[in-house]
Amino acid sequence: MSAAKKLAAWQLRERFAAGLSAMYGREVPAYPTLVQVSTQVNREYVKRHRDAERLGSFDRVTAERHGAIRVGTPAELAAVADLFGAFGMVPVGYYDLREAASPVPVVSTAFRPVDAEELARNPFRVFTSMLALRDARFFNTGLRTRVQEFLARRQLFDPALIAKARVIAAEGGCLAGEADEFVGQAVAAFALSREPIDKSWYDELSRVSAVAADIAGVGSTHINHLTPRVLDIDELYRRMTACGIAMIDAIQGPPRTDGPQVLLRQTSFRALAEPRRFRCDDGSVVDGTVRVRFGEVEARGVALTPKGRERYDAAMGSDDPAAVWGQYFPSTDEEMAAQGLAYYRGGDPAKPVVYEDFLPASAAGIFRSNLDRDASTCDASDDSGYSMDWMAGSIGRHIHDPYTLYDEETAA
Ligand code: OOG
Ligand code: NI
């Protein structure tokens, strides 16, 4: 018998990202436009800038996406961890969006590959948020109990899919003949469901928080957005606006600067309402819409060290970060490296380590900018105990510290 062809985790990851992208493009018509414009901006940028590929090859950047999903419970988050494990994606970082200027009732991590080689092959990552149900500021005991009961009754993933994912993760891949079915089922698990939504339950949760309704008002999860990467986000912003797509007011994250681009800049637009059916209390089913998804695009820069990040936070605390940027950051990679502000492979300022993670303030801003209203909170104190360790314990997995990964990457 000839040796059967095997697909490695990164090949499955590539197919998973492509499958989600194809599905999302069918579901959200503005997304293919965004991808087209992004590709065009990247192509032109590479032509005009000799060092355009210092933060990743044109091919990597143009294929690069991140997605976002939202789940309700630690058990659901653990299932997501199992599923993404098959694609070589592990949890990195902890983001507490309850601490943002306008709080969102979730705590989050991001699933992504961690090795440089794996990232270069396909860097697909998924920002994954879990509803902060234990936080009494958002959920009183009565509502929490009812949400828990609702969530305990639903099943986001077929147990057979999760079992298969565990086997694939342990073996580092699967037979080529099994890949289509596995990836297809994984992609389908994130489609917007056609099942009617229980109208009074959804409306009740919407009054607490649109995010709570999106997560726990329905029986399934869905890909919330899929984000391409661009080399020039200011140009992208102008072009999308010229296409008649109303972007949010600002680009989130660091300002545009002449010096080295750092961390992550993002902007978004709100997707159109999508048709969903609702079941009313009398059992009748009516047509309606939900407006929960959006388009986002991002530009990535060099990863900052803890010292660089402190400077970043200080600069961003100013009323006009662009105006004071030069007081916090030097204008060349040489100085950034010499002052220990950013990561460079082997300390060589020609080899920046790209920032692979997210920014909590931008994440909360992106959530917020696409909602009609803030979450309503009450005066209760937060005794949820949420932390990175809590999350790691509750899903039974190590959550990687991004700084450790950047240190390793720099030393490699
Ligand atoms: C996630 C928002 C965070 C980002 O790029 O910062 C995010 C969400 O809306 O579920 O995706
Ligand atoms: Ni995003």
Side-chain angles (χ1 to χ4, degrees):
M1 210 172 81
S2 67
K5 189 168 180 291
K6 248 190 108 173
L7 291 184
W10 73 267
Q11 291 167 305
L12 297 175
R13 182 165 69 251
E14 185 175 74
R15 291 184 183 203
F16 181 47
L20 285 171
S21 192
M23 180 179 79
Y24 198 63
R26 287 190 298 271
E27 293 179 339
V28 179
Y31 171 76
T33 309
L34 178 65
V35 170
Q36 259 166 27
V37 177
S38 302
T39 305
Q40 192 59 32
V41 166
N42 290 347
R43 193 168 290 132
E44 290 171 22
Y45 189 87
V46 168
K47 268 193 214 142
R48 284 198 318 271
H49 296 82
R50 273 180 43 227
D51 64 348
E53 293 179 293
R54 61 195 283 279
L55 290 161
S57 69
F58 172 78
D59 287 341
R60 171 188 154 162
V61 170
T62 303
E64 186 161 342
R65 301 282 183 278
H66 86 247
I69 58 166
R70 304 163 176 181
V71 299
T73 63
E76 290 179 353
L77 187 59
V80 167
D82 278 338
L83 182 61
F84 289 171
F87 301 110
M89 297 156 69
V90 297
V92 180
Y94 173 76
Y95 306 88
D96 192 336
L97 304 193
R98 300 170 306 155
E99 284 169 7
S102 30
V104 184
V106 297
V107 288
S108 315
T109 185
F111 290 86
R112 66 168 178 87
V114 292
D115 296 345
E117 216 170 279
E118 286 289 310
L119 285 160
R121 284 172 168 153
N122 184 286
F124 187 52
R125 48 175 97 70
V126 180
F127 191 92
T128 304
S129 300
M130 190 194 80
L131 193 63
L133 253 190
R134 289 156 60 116
D135 191 329
R137 294 170 302 176
F138 302 100
F139 300 95
N140 65 38
T141 318
L143 182 61
R144 179 183 313 150
T145 307
R146 287 188 298 133
V147 172
Q148 270 161 348
E149 282 166 5
F150 180 90
L151 293 173
R153 282 197 305 272
R154 78 177 183 184
Q155 189 178 72
L156 297 184
F157 308 103
D158 179 351
L161 179 69
I162 300 301
K164 182 73 189 164
R166 288 208 185 117
V167 172
I168 294 175
E171 293 179 353
C174 72
L175 294 175
E178 301 172 312
D180 281 348
E181 189 185 346
F182 176 71
V183 174
Q185 284 180 4
V187 168
F190 298 101
L192 197 68
S193 162
R194 311 247 166 247
E195 282 297 303
I197 297 172
D198 181 332
K199 190 165 184 336
S200 41
W201 178 235
Y202 193 85
D203 289 347
E204 181 184 355
L205 285 177
S206 299
R207 284 191 288 276
V208 177
S209 144
V211 173
D214 184 41
I215 296 176
V218 297
S220 60
T221 185
H222 46 258
I223 186 98
N224 172 275
H225 62 274
L226 210 55
T227 300
R229 182 171 159 197
V230 276
L231 293 167
D232 185 345
I233 197 168
D234 301 277
E235 180 58 23
L236 185 283
Y237 189 99
R238 280 191 288 277
R239 288 198 195 180
M240 289 301 282
T241 309
C243 288
I245 295 184
M247 309 295 284
I248 61 169
D249 292 346
I251 293 173
Q252 318 240 356
R256 182 181 190 90
T257 58
D258 294 332
Q261 187 176 347
V262 305
L263 299 175
L264 174 65
R265 301 180 72 210
Q266 300 178 309
T267 189
S268 66
F269 58 86
R270 216 172 155 177
L272 297 176
E274 296 174 86
R276 287 288 303 251
R277 290 182 306 147
F278 288 88
R279 181 172 289 112
C280 307
D281 290 344
D282 64 5
S284 62
V285 173
V286 297
D287 287 333
T289 58
V290 290
R291 204 170 177 217
V292 291
R293 309 208 284 185
F294 54 94
E296 185 193 41
V297 61
E298 67 189 12
R300 291 184 173 267
V302 64
L304 294 181
T305 61
K307 182 178 169 195
R309 182 58 181 265
E310 260 175 47
R311 296 248 188 122
Y312 171 74
D313 289 334
M316 295 305 286
S318 141
D319 290 338
D320 186 358
V324 298
W325 191 258
Q327 295 165 28
Y328 294 92
F329 287 102
S331 60
T332 64
D333 287 293
E334 285 71 17
E335 288 168 283
M336 289 281 267
Q339 294 181 35
L341 297 175
Y343 291 103
Y344 295 90
R345 214 158 277 120
D348 177 349
K351 295 183 182 156
V353 175
V354 65
Y355 188 60
E356 304 285 357
D357 295 290
F358 292 87
L359 295 174
S362 307
I366 299 271
F367 256 103
R368 267 292 311 123
S369 61
N370 291 284
L371 301 174
D372 291 320
R373 286 181 299 111
D374 276 328
S376 59
T377 52
C378 64
D379 275 347
S381 65
D382 169 28
D383 57 359
S384 61
Y386 291 135
S387 68
M388 175 144 128
D389 286 343
W390 179 89
M391 184 181 271
S394 76
I395 61 171
R397 286 183 183 251
H398 175 63
I399 298 181
H400 293 262
D401 172 16
Y403 288 118
T404 309
L405 298 174
Y406 293 124
D407 279 331
E408 285 168 7
E409 187 48 36
T410 303

